[in-house]
Amino acid sequence: MKKILITGSLGQIGSELVRRLRDLYGKDHVIATDIRRTDDSKIIHSGPFEILDVTDAKNFSRIANKYNVDTIIHLATILSAKAENTPLHAWNINMGGLVNALEIARNLDTKFFTPSSIGSFGPLTPKVNTPQDTIQRPNTMYGINKVAGELLCDYYYNKFSLDTRSVRFPGLISHGTPPGGGTTDYAVEIYYEAVKKQAYTCYIQKGTYMDMMYMPDAMDAIIQLMEADPAKLRHRNAFNLTAMSVEPEDFAKEIQKHIPSFTIHYQIDPVRQSIADSWPNSIDASAAKNEWGFHPQYDLEKMTIDMLTNIESDNNIGIK
């Protein structure tokens, strides 16, 4: 039976993944960890939970050995916009934590997953139908961390035969957890504001296309990749993923089908806009489809219906 340790478990991806994996493998087989404890979190009370600062290699190793884990899913990270505000701190967390996680995985001979991002690309990367294998010269600390992380995971696979696997996530959209400081967070905020206020002020300029994915598809992708036959994986670190290429007006138009009074306005954040401008407009995910069968289930229309329905239900708010 699997014993899976997940870092960053209270974040957007982590909380969703812990819930899914506990349903799949049993609550006692998924060990959630985070640097903080939030007593009202269902994650903490639904199974094993440990306080973990991923830069503390000794405690990280102690927890992994305590539960005799066979899989490490390393999600702890400082996201793109926050990383630009505190670049040295982001380097220490994103790279120091990753090195610790890889070393512990190597010592315990576990399977290993950590996500990369479309932030690993940069202004010199082809922006339309971005290839799986292409130039990666990001100009943000977050992007640099992600490129370095991809290479480091490749190194551990080639040098130590560690079973490393990764994906380049696009912007992830979820109703289950609040935004965490990412450039694509507007795609989450717009739904909440649509339900609560029927209006949203967007920090990303209209016409700025970025790749997005609904959280259920992201969870399926992680599970499917980790269960895939390793012999079929040529691009381990990391696979391009996408479900839709969209800009703010696309979200607004889809929301207006359900909330006709909804309006969108713009107040551009120059930091996040400059990050968005350095990322691709659309991504080629054919390698993931061919090597392990990736196939998203949600498009913009289906996702919008699900987001609005769940936000209304979760917050006991009627859409006007």
Side-chain angles (χ1 to χ4, degrees), residues 74-289:
H74 181 60
L75 304 177
T77 190
I78 305 296
L79 294 174
S80 56
K82 286 187 176 180
E84 287 305 285
N85 292 331
T86 57
L88 183 58
H89 177 61
W91 177 268
N92 290 336
I93 297 295
N94 294 350
M95 297 311 302
L98 177 58
V99 169
N100 288 341
L102 283 165
E103 273 296 287
I104 292 162
R106 180 174 72 88
N107 290 332
L108 295 179
D109 192 25
T110 73
K111 294 173 71 173
F112 186 85
F113 174 89
T114 192
S116 186
S117 163
I118 58 173
S120 67
F121 299 119
L124 299 180
T125 301
K127 292 184 73 67
V128 177
N129 203 30
T130 303
Q132 172 68 43
D133 300 308
T134 187
I135 186 170
Q136 294 176 262
R137 298 286 292 180
N139 56 5
T140 65
M141 178 54 74
Y142 179 71
I144 292 166
N145 295 162
K146 289 304 182 183
V147 171
E150 291 182 17
L151 295 173
L152 195 60
C153 288
D154 277 342
Y155 178 82
Y156 270 75
Y157 170 68
N158 291 311
K159 179 75 172 180
F160 304 115
S161 298
L162 182 65
D163 187 357
T164 58
R165 308 182 186 198
S166 181
V167 298
R168 295 181 184 129
F169 274 133
L172 297 181
I173 300 173
S174 170
H175 63 83
T177 52
T183 300
T184 58
D185 281 351
Y186 86 85
V188 179
E189 295 171 356
I190 193 170
Y191 287 105
Y192 279 91
E193 295 299 293
V195 172
K196 294 179 180 180
K197 301 178 181 178
Q198 291 79 56
Y200 178 61
T201 300
C202 187
Y203 56 79
I204 294 294
Q205 183 61 265
K206 65 180 179 180
T208 304
Y209 282 88
M210 288 184 281
D211 285 81
M212 304 280 180
M213 178 183 293
Y214 198 29
M215 189 62 76
D217 281 332
M219 299 300 97
D220 287 344
I222 294 174
I223 295 168
Q224 192 173 2
L225 175 58
M226 294 306 287
E227 296 288 359
D229 180 354
K232 296 181 179 180
L233 303 179
R234 187 168 71 87
H235 298 91
R236 287 176 163 269
N237 306 290
F239 288 93
N240 282 359
L241 291 188
T242 186
M244 62 196 85
S245 175
V246 284
E247 57 110 342
E249 293 289 326
D250 293 329
F251 288 103
K253 291 174 183 177
E254 199 62 41
I255 289 170
Q256 285 164 353
K257 294 178 182 178
H258 308 276
I259 310 175
S261 60
F262 175 75
T263 58
I264 186 170
H265 310 280
Y266 294 90
Q267 185 174 337
I268 308 307
D269 176 349
V271 173
R272 285 189 278 193
Q273 183 64 45
S274 66
I275 294 172
D277 288 340
S278 74
W279 290 356
N281 293 349
S282 60
I283 289 175
D284 176 11
S286 58
K289 294 176 182 178

Side-chain angles (χ1 to χ4, degrees), residues 25-41:
Y25 299 120
K27 64 180 182 179
D28 293 331
H29 294 272
V30 181
I31 299 88
T33 72
D34 209 293
I35 196 170
R36 67 194 186 281
R37 181 183 183 93
T38 305
D39 287 333
D40 61 350
S41 170

